[in-house]
Amino acid sequence: MSVLSWNCRGVGLPWNVRFLKDVVRQEKPAFVFLCETIGRHDRVEWVRRQLGYEGMIVVEPQGRSGGLCLLWKEMDQGKLLSYSQNHIDIEVRIEGMEVWRLTGIYGEPVRANRRKTWDLLRHLARDSNLPWVGIGDMNNICSHADKKGGNAYPNWLIDGFNETLMDVGLIDMSLTGHQFTWERGRGTSEWIEVRLDRTLTTDAWLTVFPAVRLYNLEGSESDHSPLLLIPKRYDRSQNCTHFRFENAWLSEPMCLEVVKDSWEENSKSDIQEKVKLCGEKLLVWGKEITGDFAKRIRECKVELKQWRGRRDTQAVQNYKETKKKLFLILDQREIF
């Protein structure tokens, strides 16, 4: 059970949908919070179906900016408590767990309006005594170490945010991975990196999930990195390998021959057995043709981490080329 949060800067964009599909496929988050969706309800509904989630709350954008969406895997696991242009708050009920509260937050982007975000947190804190976690693009930082490049961040904004967290009893979670979640001007003299996306929790929530980890995911086409909140240590050895038909195979003439041969070889088997054996044969053949997609994606992400923190011209160029390669692989991996 995990929570994915991402300022996607347009949920309906093809590359964002591909990226979301891949993250959902790999990490299997139970909840997905998206901000700056810039998409109407019908478009977000289409994305929900593509990702395979049942529950959904949508806050439509105002004009060409904003918009929020919170998805959850099973309908009866989430109950809406409140929402606004800057938050979606739900009660989470999962069998065998204590009831808790999840809030997706999109902080006011205009500095002059930041107090509205602080007031929102104070208001939400008074609404319920349930164990509480908030996640999203807060548009606030906790210290000068949360920003690299550009002008110094105003002290009154840092102090105001920290005072709010103290007043309402929220703890800023440490981040595993790259310590900045937003960037602008990569490769230029005006390159800025800031940790705008974060997770805030109460002591009560940490008592329920003492082994929680927060990860910064790589490879996003947005200027924001997604966050993955995992309330317990993630055991990847529990993942099962399932057959999936890869879009890239359709461009290979041999694909049809592999299917025909398998079907004929197992003509006396029942339909379920035929499909199983055909899938196994396609999986072996497909790896020889297109390679192991998961391995290629992992290699790209390792390269991205290698180049990300460097500011020399060659590193910036390598980062951009690796990012293009990653999204070409995701495009090939599109599944029917």
Side-chain angles (χ1 to χ4, degrees):
M1 191 275 296
S2 57
V3 182
L4 177 73
S5 172
W6 186 31
N7 182 327
C8 59
R9 302 295 299 274
V11 70
L13 297 173
W15 47 88
N16 283 346
V17 175
R18 288 198 298 271
F19 179 76
L20 272 172
K21 280 185 175 181
D22 187 66
V23 173
V24 168
R25 181 185 300 121
Q26 291 187 55
E27 307 297 347
K28 299 176 177 59
F31 302 88
V32 177
F33 173 65
L34 304 172
C35 56
E36 287 203 68
T37 57
I38 319 175
R40 298 297 175 186
H41 191 283
D42 57 346
R43 186 60 177 172
V44 182
E45 167 64 19
W46 178 82
V47 173
R48 180 194 68 79
R49 294 196 302 268
Q50 292 291 307
L51 298 179
Y53 285 77
E54 293 181 0
M56 180 179 77
I57 299 294
V58 176
V59 178
E60 295 200 349
Q62 294 180 320
R64 296 185 177 181
S65 63
L68 310 176
C69 171
L70 182 60
L71 307 173
W72 57 95
K73 202 66 179 177
E74 298 180 19
M75 184 65 74
D76 59 357
Q77 290 183 344
K79 175 186 175 183
L80 178 65
L81 297 175
S82 66
Y83 68 91
S84 71
Q85 288 294 325
N86 296 94
H87 86 287
I88 298 176
D89 189 27
I90 67 169
E91 183 180 286
V92 177
R93 291 182 176 272
I94 297 176
E95 187 175 353
M97 290 186 183
E98 184 175 343
V99 178
W100 52 281
R101 183 180 172 203
L102 169 65
T103 309
I105 301 169
Y106 176 50
E108 286 285 346
V110 180
R111 285 184 175 181
N113 295 333
R114 293 289 162 78
R115 286 189 173 87
K116 292 183 179 179
T117 301
W118 307 342
D119 291 342
L120 173 64
L121 291 173
R122 289 188 170 96
H123 175 76
L124 290 169
R126 292 192 295 266
D127 282 352
S128 172
N129 292 321
L130 288 174
W132 182 30
V133 60
I135 190 169
D137 175 9
M138 305 293 172
N139 273 316
N140 278 270
I141 69 174
C142 293
S143 73
H144 289 289
D146 286 341
K147 184 174 186 291
K148 183 178 181 181
N151 298 325
Y153 208 81
N155 286 323
W156 72 270
L157 288 173
I158 295 174
D159 293 342
F161 186 49
N162 284 325
E163 287 172 9
T164 302
L165 299 187
M166 289 181 63
D167 289 347
V168 300
L170 285 170
I171 300 164
D172 179 45
M173 277 198 60
S174 60
L175 182 62
T176 299
H178 191 62
Q179 290 302 296
F180 303 106
T181 65
W182 175 87
E183 69 173 1
R184 183 179 67 194
R186 172 176 285 271
T188 72
S189 59
E190 298 179 353
W191 187 0
I192 300 172
E193 294 180 283
V194 190
R195 185 185 171 192
L196 296 178
D197 306 84
R198 53 207 329 121
T199 296
L200 309 173
T201 73
T202 59
D203 280 325
W205 194 85
L206 290 175
T207 299
V208 178
F209 301 107
V212 63
R213 297 294 296 274
L214 179 65
Y215 295 92
N216 182 357
L217 302 184
E218 302 283 342
S220 162
E221 273 292 278
S222 168
D223 51 5
H224 286 260
S225 298
L227 298 182
L228 183 69
L229 179 70
I230 302 180
K232 60 181 180 179
R233 293 191 183 276
Y234 188 58
D235 185 4
R236 292 182 181 273
S237 66
Q238 293 178 356
N239 283 356
C240 298
T241 301
H242 300 284
F243 168 75
R244 295 183 176 93
F245 188 89
E246 308 289 357
N247 190 31
W249 296 346
L250 293 176
S251 62
E252 299 292 335
M254 278 299 296
C255 180
L256 180 60
E257 297 302 318
V258 172
V259 174
K260 283 183 176 179
D261 289 347
S262 175
W263 216 254
E264 291 172 0
E265 288 173 8
N266 302 288
S267 58
K268 295 182 179 180
S269 302
D270 59 33
I271 188 68
Q272 288 86 357
E273 185 68 11
K274 282 184 178 181
V275 171
K276 177 178 175 292
L277 295 171
C278 183
E280 291 173 354
K281 196 162 188 177
L282 278 171
L283 191 61
V284 173
W285 169 84
K287 284 187 177 180
E288 295 175 356
I289 299 299
T290 56
D292 186 329
F293 277 109
K295 180 181 178 182
R296 291 163 65 191
I297 290 169
R298 284 196 303 271
E299 289 173 348
C300 282
K301 289 184 176 180
V302 168
E303 287 185 42
L304 286 174
K305 289 180 181 178
Q306 175 185 350
W307 304 121
R308 180 160 194 165
R310 294 172 52 182
R311 294 184 169 237
D312 56 280
T313 303
Q314 186 59 54
V316 171
Q317 183 61 33
N318 290 345
Y319 181 89
K320 291 178 179 178
E321 290 177 358
T322 303
K323 207 169 193 180
K324 288 180 182 178
K325 183 168 68 174
L326 172 62
F327 276 83
L328 284 173
I329 295 171
L330 293 179
D331 191 38
Q332 285 183 320
R333 195 184 186 184
E334 189 74 16
I335 297 172
F336 287 87

